[in-house]
Every structure is written in C-alpha cells, then in structure tokens.
Amino acid sequence: GADSALLIGKDGYRYKALSYMIFNWIHAQYGYFLRLEIAQFLQNQEDAVRKYLQSIVEGIAQTGRGQTKVLDGVLVQIALHELRKIFPEKNVVIKLTSDGGRFVSVAPFLKKS
C-alpha cells in the first residue's frame, strides 16, 4: 500500500534486515528458500542487478572468467542465481573479502587429472 516505504526504509536497509531475518529463520527451520516482496522492491532490485550484470557477462564471455563488485544482502543472491542461469558450465560461487564483503565469482571448473 501507500505506506510500504515504511517497511522498505531508506536505501532498503529495513527491507534487507527484515528479509534476512525471515529467510534465515524459515530456511533454518524448514529448509525453504523464502524471498520477501514489498511493493515490487525485490523486482526492482532484480532488474537493477540484471542491468549491472550485462557488462560482467560480456567480460566473462570474452575471457572465460570474471567477478562482480562487492554486493550486499539479497543482491548477491540475485547475481548468483542469474549468473548460474547464464553460465551453467562454469563454477559460479559466492566469495568473501577479507572485511566480510561478498561477491560472485565465475570461473571454469577445474579438471581433475
């Protein structure tokens, strides 16, 4: 409704916190992957990540590997899901930086010899 901005908060911080708490509780308790949608906020986030990934995908297509910038909250999950759809033949994983940031890395699978 009209007051959905109150649930989302400035820059989506309240939405991200609420989404994180609900996801972790439901996933730990029942094993479901729950995604919270408030006033198309999640859809807007997905659209923004897809647009951001266009240049990343082009670079990966040329070089065979690449990575996103550090992403927070649900954005890293969206990027992981999208890149796995685009590159099913590659190893697409979330990696951590030394300060706890998370980004998505795409690389060829290592061949066992």
Side-chain angles (χ1 to χ4, degrees), residues 54-66 87 90:
Q54 288 174 349
S55 62
I56 304 292
V57 167
E58 290 172 6
I60 295 169
Q62 291 176 354
T63 64
R65 63 180 57 236
F87 298 108
K90 295 198 179 289

Side-chain angles (χ1 to χ4, degrees), residues 28-45:
Q29 190 73 22
Y30 303 104
Y32 295 123
F33 290 94
L34 182 78
R35 293 170 37 157
L36 178 65
E37 177 67 278
I38 299 174
Q40 297 179 327
F41 183 76
L42 181 60
Q43 183 63 46
N44 294 340
Q45 295 289 300

Side-chain angles (χ1 to χ4, degrees), residues 7 22 31 38 48 58-59 68 74 89 106 110-111:
L7 284 173
I22 290 173
I38 299 174
E58 290 172 6
T68 66
V74 71
E89 75 287 353
V106 179
L110 296 176
K111 294 180 182 178

Side-chain angles (χ1 to χ4, degrees), residues 18-93:
L18 185 60
S19 176
Y20 183 79
M21 287 186 309
I22 290 173
F23 173 82
N24 284 326
W25 174 60
I26 297 293
H27 183 68
Q29 190 73 22
Y30 303 104
Y32 295 123
F33 290 94
L34 182 78
R35 293 170 37 157
L36 178 65
E37 177 67 278
I38 299 174
Q40 297 179 327
F41 183 76
L42 181 60
Q43 183 63 46
N44 294 340
Q45 295 289 300
E46 289 174 341
D47 293 344
V49 169
R50 284 187 197 107
K51 189 173 182 177
Y52 163 70
L53 289 178
Q54 288 174 349
S55 62
I56 304 292
V57 167
E58 290 172 6
I60 295 169
Q62 291 176 354
T63 64
R65 63 180 57 236
Q67 67 186 37
T68 66
K69 63 182 180 181
V70 173
L71 301 169
D72 66 332
V74 71
L75 300 180
V76 75
Q77 295 298 329
I78 295 169
L80 177 72
H81 178 73
E82 290 297 317
L83 289 171
R84 282 186 173 164
K85 280 195 317 190
I86 296 168
F87 298 108
E89 75 287 353
K90 295 198 179 289
N91 187 22
V92 182
V93 296

